[in-house]
Amino acid sequence: MSDRGTETRVDEVEDRLVTAVAVGEYLPGAGLPPERELAALLGVARVTVRGALARLVDRGLLETRRGRGGGTFVRTQWPDSSSQAVGRVLLARWAGIQDTADAIALLHGALATAAAERATAVDAGTIRAHLASFRDAASGLEKQQADALLHRAIIDAARNDALRTALATLESQISIAAPAHLWGMVDGMADMEQRALREHEELVDAVCDGRAAEAGVIARRHVGIDVELLERAMLRAGQVPQG
């Protein structure tokens, strides 16, 4: 590949990482995966990832820490300099994001329905424990991590590996650059987390009480938060979501 081609790939990865941070896939304080994992996630060479990370460290968006527990971490979420990259990335992906998000919502609904039909008393106890952990977690990174564990417990209770695999595949397609669900921007995050808590409580009650049809409806609606957060990010970046 030519030097210009390599430079273009670095530009693209830089834009994706800037956007992933801006929309809260990686929140301030969060560590990014090691270069090898990030390269596999993004489908590029390690040297491309290394070049993009170096640029973002120079820009002050990321920082590197040495020693035990070291790595690359997010310093700040959305400086003004990020807006153009966010607009480019989301606008280019918007049609695919909408279609994939719809499919993800349908799969979450199917999994929640199955979980309500199949959850054992042990499953219900695990799910409720994860709900309590989400309720008690600090805003931001802790809540994002607790959210992932709660949804994973519901998916596990559905006992359907084919649906689980299909969901993981679709979620990797809608992701900008991270395996984690996006969490939005700091302004508005607390309100979103309160809404998520209310919907989590409704979902967990429906699943644990065996109300299968209701669990499916709640799960499908709940997943819509992701698209709403991306719409807000597009508007902040100066783009108008279409469709």
Side-chain angles (χ1 to χ4, degrees):
M1 181 180 290
S2 68
D3 289 345
R4 181 59 201 153
T6 301
E7 190 77 5
T8 299
R9 293 298 286 159
V10 174
D11 291 341
E12 292 171 354
V13 170
E14 181 181 6
D15 277 0
R16 285 184 66 182
L17 290 173
V18 166
T19 304
V21 170
V23 302
E25 286 186 347
Y26 297 114
L27 290 169
L32 272 64
E35 283 182 6
R36 185 185 301 277
E37 292 179 25
L38 197 53
L41 184 66
L42 295 168
V44 297
R46 286 183 68 181
V47 66
T48 303
V49 169
R50 189 175 302 124
L53 291 175
R55 288 184 184 178
L56 295 178
V57 169
D58 288 343
R59 289 173 56 181
L61 198 72
L62 305 177
E63 65 179 352
T64 55
R65 301 176 190 170
R66 306 297 179 189
R68 188 177 181 85
T72 304
F73 295 83
V74 178
R75 286 190 62 196
T76 186
Q77 187 169 16
W78 193 327
D80 291 341
S81 60
S82 293
S83 293
Q84 287 190 348
V86 175
R88 282 193 298 267
V89 170
L90 294 184
L91 186 63
R93 296 166 61 97
W94 191 246
I97 284 173
Q98 289 179 297
D99 189 56
T100 305
D102 182 55
I104 287 171
L106 291 171
L107 280 175
H108 269 289
L111 284 159
T113 298
E117 293 171 342
R118 301 173 181 178
T120 65
V122 172
D123 292 330
T126 299
I127 291 168
R128 289 196 182 279
H130 283 302
L131 174 61
S133 295
F134 179 85
R135 185 183 295 113
D136 294 341
S139 178
L141 183 57
E142 282 189 22
K143 267 200 165 31
Q144 184 185 44
Q145 293 170 337
D147 173 85
L149 293 173
L150 171 58
H151 284 289
R152 182 58 54 198
I154 293 172
I155 290 168
D156 288 345
R159 292 182 172 79
N160 189 301
D161 288 339
L163 284 177
R164 181 207 306 269
T165 300
L167 178 62
T169 299
L170 287 173
E171 288 184 334
S172 71
Q173 292 173 9
I174 203 172
S175 166
I176 307 299
H181 285 292
L182 63 96
W183 211 246
M185 296 159 282
V186 171
D187 52 322
M189 187 178 292
D191 288 342
M192 182 278 292
E193 290 171 344
Q194 285 300 309
R195 171 183 167 187
L197 176 59
R198 291 192 298 271
E199 293 182 4
H200 283 162
E201 290 171 340
E202 293 174 3
L203 177 58
V204 166
D205 283 345
V207 168
C208 293
D209 293 346
R211 291 180 271 122
E214 187 177 348
V217 170
I218 295 167
R220 289 196 300 273
R221 183 182 72 235
H222 176 63
V223 175
I225 290 177
D226 286 357
V227 174
E228 292 177 26
L229 292 174
L230 289 172
E231 287 175 343
R232 292 179 200 171
M234 282 192 72
L235 290 170
R236 176 169 174 171
Q239 301 291 345
V240 179
Q242 301 295 319

